[in-house]
Amino acid sequence: MGCGTSMATETQEKRLETDEAAKNPNPALTMKAAILIQRWYRRYMARLEMRRRYTWNIFQSIEYAGEQDQLQLSSFFSFMLDNFTQLHGTGPDLISQLLDPVTDPWLGRETYDLIPVPESYTGPRLSFPLSVCHTNALLAAFKEQQSLHARYVLQLLYETKKLLRQMPNIIHLSTSYTKEITICGDLHGRLDDLLLIFYKNGLPSADTPYVFNGDFVDRGKKSVEVVILLFAYLLLYPDYMHLNRGNHEDHIMNLRYGFTKEVMQKYKNHGRQILQLFQDVFSLLPVATVIDGKVLIVHGGISDQTDLDLLSSIERHKVKSALRLPTHTLEQLDISRSCRQTKRMRFPDSPRPGSSRIPAKSQRTPNQRKQRSRLSQQDSCASSSSSSSSSSSLCSTRTPSCLSPHHCPSSPSMPYSANIFQVPCLDSLSSISPPLPPQHEREWKQIVDILWSDPRAQEGCSPNTFRGGGCYFGPDVTQRLLLHHRMELLIRSHECKQEGYELCHGGQVITIFSASNYYEEGSNRGAYIKLGRELVPRFYQYQVSRTTRKLTLTQRVRAAECSALRALQEKLFAHRSELMSGFQQYDQNNTGCVSVSEWAQVLELVLRLDLPWRTLRPHLACLAPDASVEYQSCFQDMGPGIPLPQVTPSMAEALFRYRTDLEIIFNIIDKDHSGLISIEEFRHTWRLFSAHLDVDIDDGAIDDLARSIDFNKDGSIDFTEFLEAFRVVHKLDNKDQQQG
């Protein structure tokens, strides 16, 4: 018992000592613990910030790559439309449908009153001129997921068109008549963001004037509702509601990014008339706004050639699309003759896609390695790097800007063939240095720069090859224009920012973006600016979400990261043959492995996304025991939606890659929007694409594919099912669904 009592006493004494230490902690130990916790937290937040940044870079790079694809597609069809008649005597109906508005007597006069509105229609009924009751009815209806009848949509567009015709190219506002002016950026069909802005800041009125800085439509699912509300308030308060044109107020951009499809789905019977009117209204939108003569507001930016006096005198309605080169430009350079020469000439040694040789590891020299590290910049657009002053650019880094059949450098990511038409780019036109651009071409370049340009930290002005249109303008270009016009500030939109806004060029340029959750739930905030008489901008941020507030920061970053990585993996799968060709040229012994450095070089050379590939490697590929990359693992978790054994691998990959482009063309061919096109139309479409893209597929393979997807053998193809078959499917998703 004595021993037991002794042990109990010792235990009690130790407890007392522990309690005493807790009450009077050792300062040194406390400081050490705090430093350890702080160090762990900082490392944790740094890793989280790194994941957030590369996730953002993935989203933005893929977005800009999509815009380049659209510019390449529209440039090609514009070129064909302008020159096909001279080459062959007849113009293809397909291309005319794509780019030229359909002449329809219905569109020449106000016939909306002939459209009956059934008594069963429970949505808002409009009469003109509009009143506050009408705009309130529209707000209430759109909140309840109701749609506006086609008759009222057409009437609203007619009235908007008449009003915009009376407006100048540059709107001048003054804060002397109001306390503050609210400036909003891109909305992109996000109705919830627009409603939240109105809730937080107030509805448009004489006391709450607004400037919406373009890109009202596309990408979002409620573009029709957003633009109808904006036009309704413009008609109600023409002196207090102001709309600038953005690069997505363009019928060719609308084909790819969803607005055309949305209109046709919501207004099947009158969709063509509505789209035609939207096209006219978009071309009539002002291109800039000036507040108190001190603040310039444009959608994209400026260039070293921007001339506000010239911009104010342009007949803006003639520029239906900023993506189309003026016809006159091609005639001036005698493009048709060059194309005839190009068609006749053959280069037997021209490399095929993915055929550029990459030296084996044992054969590479330091000079070759340096040359390879600069290859992506050299291949972008040769004339871009040689010109420090360029007003605009409409070219793709994936397409050589050649107007004559001279040889261009080849790489796995930039196929070149001399027996196909080369898409003319504005860069190549400027490199030829014509004596003096005609007036309407200079006017068109002014519009392109205003709608498409982006600021950068470097001095000067150069073509925006990353986005594919407009230019990059430096702080010296900004300062020169502001000084010339005695202005203080340039406000623009056009770029998504994580906080909803960003300042650059020493605070002289502000980017404002109002569509929150643009890439993914929780990816970014939206914001708007308020300017008072002192012209000091005040920023207001928000984020529309029903779930984001319930998630921690880590959960939000993880969700966005997963979405970005899925999109990037689909990009890898769509370029599988080119990537495999690049990997195998490094892997001379067929081991299935390359070094991490070689793996990253091939990815950047083919995809040209300017991403931190080494950082992303753990998410995209597996390592072998010797720390090399098993490059086949890049594609192991993905597969086609519906396997078609009749389709050759090369054709399947081309279909995966250009699925969006084909969908655009199919929707144009399908005039009645039944979802069906004839086999002959399908053949014509694909042959056109295969010639343009230099895809080595013979007519027999195209015919076999057409027959294989005509499931019921009625001579028509359901292209919705066809496109679903050529959709990248993540195998892990299928496993999860099967287990569920």
Side-chain angles (χ1 to χ4, degrees), residues 74-280:
S74 60
S75 296
F76 168 71
F77 282 113
S78 181
F79 176 64
M80 291 290 289
L81 182 65
D82 290 329
N83 294 277
F84 202 94
T85 302
Q86 295 133 342
L87 292 172
H88 296 278
T90 58
D93 183 59
L94 167 66
I95 301 172
S96 299
Q97 291 177 44
L98 173 65
L99 292 174
D100 278 358
V102 179
T103 55
D104 190 333
W106 176 277
L107 301 175
R109 58 185 186 275
E110 299 178 5
T111 52
Y112 49 80
D113 54 348
L114 301 179
I115 302 175
V117 180
E119 294 182 2
S120 58
Y121 171 69
T122 58
R125 296 175 181 266
L126 305 183
S127 60
F128 294 82
L130 291 179
S131 66
V132 175
C133 295
H134 294 125
T135 53
N136 288 342
L138 285 172
L139 283 170
F142 292 159
K143 287 178 182 178
E144 297 298 324
Q145 310 299 318
Q146 291 182 320
S147 59
L148 184 64
H149 193 275
R151 168 185 173 147
Y152 301 122
V153 174
L154 286 169
Q155 190 172 4
L156 181 90
L157 292 175
Y158 273 119
E159 296 295 330
T160 304
K161 182 177 177 180
K162 287 193 294 185
L163 175 63
L164 290 174
R165 278 177 175 168
Q166 305 168 20
M167 292 186 176
N169 295 345
I170 301 177
I171 303 295
H172 289 267
L173 306 179
S174 174
T175 56
S176 62
Y177 300 105
T178 183
K179 293 181 180 179
E180 291 179 312
I181 298 175
T182 303
I183 303 152
C184 301
D186 299 28
L187 286 170
H188 280 299
R190 267 72 170 185
L191 179 62
D192 288 343
D193 285 298
L194 179 61
L195 296 178
L196 183 59
I197 292 171
F198 286 163
Y199 174 76
K200 291 172 67 71
N201 192 63
L203 294 173
S205 67
D207 296 326
T208 315
Y210 279 90
V211 176
F212 284 88
N213 198 24
D215 279 10
F216 321 126
V217 301
D218 281 336
R219 301 188 188 275
K221 297 180 180 179
K222 298 287 186 178
S223 293
V224 171
E225 288 79 0
V226 167
V227 78
I228 285 175
L229 278 175
L230 294 179
F231 288 165
Y233 279 109
L234 176 66
L235 292 173
L236 182 61
Y237 298 113
D239 294 327
Y240 306 106
M241 183 70 165
H242 308 281
L243 308 178
N244 283 349
R245 184 177 182 178
N247 66 308
H248 278 265
E249 277 67 64
D250 185 307
H251 66 282
I252 296 180
M253 291 292 286
N254 301 154
L255 286 168
R256 175 180 288 268
Y257 292 104
F259 183 60
T260 298
K261 186 176 182 180
E262 180 185 341
V263 171
M264 294 308 303
Q265 287 178 343
K266 292 180 177 178
Y267 299 100
K268 292 183 173 61
N269 295 330
H270 304 284
R272 288 179 64 248
Q273 297 95 307
I274 292 173
L275 283 173
Q276 180 63 57
L277 265 178
F278 269 122
Q279 177 179 334
D280 293 341

Side-chain angles (χ1 to χ4, degrees), residues 519-592:
Y519 293 122
E520 183 63 34
E521 189 79 14
S523 64
N524 68 283
R525 295 181 180 180
Y528 56 88
I529 299 173
K530 300 192 78 169
L531 278 179
R533 295 177 183 176
E534 68 282 0
L535 298 181
V536 176
R538 291 187 291 132
F539 302 94
Y540 295 82
Q541 298 170 290
Y542 56 87
Q543 191 160 27
V544 174
S545 178
R546 296 177 177 84
T547 60
T548 302
R549 293 180 180 178
K550 300 178 182 178
L551 301 178
T552 64
L553 176 61
T554 304
Q555 291 172 326
R556 291 200 298 270
V557 171
R558 185 183 299 122
E561 180 187 41
C562 289
S563 178
L565 290 172
R566 285 166 61 93
L568 185 57
Q569 287 170 339
E570 292 174 9
K571 201 82 174 173
L572 297 182
F573 187 82
H575 291 79
R576 180 171 181 171
S577 64
E578 290 173 281
L579 290 170
M580 288 297 295
S581 176
F583 293 143
Q584 289 166 2
Q585 288 172 28
Y586 277 121
D587 183 21
Q588 298 292 318
N589 299 323
N590 295 323
T591 62

